[in-house]
Amino acid sequence: MGEQPLSRRSPFVKPSPLQARLLLELVDVASRCYQRGWAHGTAGNFSLRGSDGLIWQSPTGLCKGELSPHAFIPVCIETGRAVSAEPMRPSGEMAVHLGIYRFTKAAGCVVHAHSPKVVARSVAGEPMVFRGHEMQKHLGCEHHLEELRIPVISNPKSMVGFDCEVSCHLDEKVPLVVLAGHGAYVWGKTPLAALSFLEALEFLCATT
Ligand SMILES: [Zn+2]
């Protein structure tokens, strides 16, 4: 992928200065996921909420350790269609991102990776329930004795129409959802906030 400025690739759509800064942060978060072995091959997908009902979605088929802000594709949240001619297609798992953005305004960005402890723990398809862990406070619990329940939903054979289905399983109080045997989708105000939630869940899965 070339290093053309966004204003040349997408003449009618470009991120605001704040979004441009957050795209750089998202590239850094994607690289960290790759370096940790949470996004092997071309796995993992990442997006940022833009202006006017758009998101900036990572493309399919690229190593997430080598993304650049220019690679992100502007997509309409409502229709799921790219709003400008792009050389790359958006991630094949974008349906989950769209479902999350439609569900909650708290999603400023969405991070998805195949962190191994989460994947292993989720294979059975049962909700992940934690109690008694200090780390739960990082995922919305007021104290460690509160029950934290992370939704785990079946990994669909096809993502067609999954954007409408996924929101039925989301919980406004818990910024994560897991696809069984696949990985977690995490949202936050910023990419680093979302990454910290994924780190917390990976830690809980590693220590229980
Ligand atoms: Zn995936």
Side-chain angles (χ1 to χ4, degrees), residues 38 42-45 91 93 112-114 155 159 179 182-185:
W38 295 1
T42 60
N45 33 84
S91 166
E93 297 177 12
H112 167 62
H114 300 175
N155 192 26
M159 286 283 172
L179 299 193
H182 180 163
Y185 288 81

Side-chain angles (χ1 to χ4, degrees), residues 10-199:
S10 304
F12 304 110
V13 185
K14 61 180 184 180
S16 69
L18 174 61
Q19 291 157 15
R21 186 176 65 72
L22 290 171
L23 279 173
L24 277 172
E25 187 175 304
L26 189 55
V27 165
D28 177 53
V29 163
S31 178
R32 293 192 204 193
C33 287
Y34 178 76
Q35 297 296 337
R36 289 173 182 173
W38 295 1
H40 283 296
T42 60
N45 33 84
F46 305 84
S47 63
L48 181 80
R49 191 188 290 274
S51 309
D52 303 322
L54 299 181
I55 57 170
W56 295 92
Q57 177 70 54
S58 61
T60 189
L62 288 185
C63 171
K64 304 311 183 296
E66 299 175 354
L67 285 179
S68 89
H70 314 304
F72 286 77
I73 299 165
V75 173
C76 173
I77 295 174
E78 193 60 39
T79 66
R81 295 200 186 97
V83 298
S84 64
E86 298 288 336
M88 303 286 294
R89 283 185 297 112
S91 166
E93 297 177 12
M94 182 174 64
V96 186
H97 296 242
L98 295 173
I100 291 170
Y101 286 113
R102 290 175 195 159
F103 174 75
T104 176
K105 289 276 184 275
C109 73
V110 176
V111 166
H112 167 62
H114 300 175
S115 56
K117 302 295 186 193
V118 172
V119 173
R121 174 77 171 256
S122 69
V123 169
E126 301 292 327
M128 294 182 184
V129 181
F130 303 98
R131 191 197 293 266
H133 299 272
E134 180 71 11
M135 185 61 87
Q136 290 173 222
K137 285 154 65 173
H138 195 62
L139 293 175
C141 290
E142 297 218 352
H143 54 76
H144 63 288
L145 296 179
E146 206 173 297
E147 182 178 277
L148 172 65
R149 181 174 286 256
I150 310 286
V152 178
I153 56 182
S154 295
N155 192 26
K157 289 181 182 172
S158 164
M159 286 283 172
V160 176
F162 196 60
D163 49 332
C164 299
E165 186 185 328
V166 70
S167 59
C168 304
H169 302 275
L170 304 182
D171 182 341
E172 186 79 53
K173 297 191 296 293
V174 180
L176 313 97
V177 65
V178 177
L179 299 193
H182 180 163
Y185 288 81
V186 185
W187 60 91
K189 290 288 185 197
T190 66
L192 284 173
L195 177 64
S196 76
F197 297 148
L198 180 57
E199 289 172 336

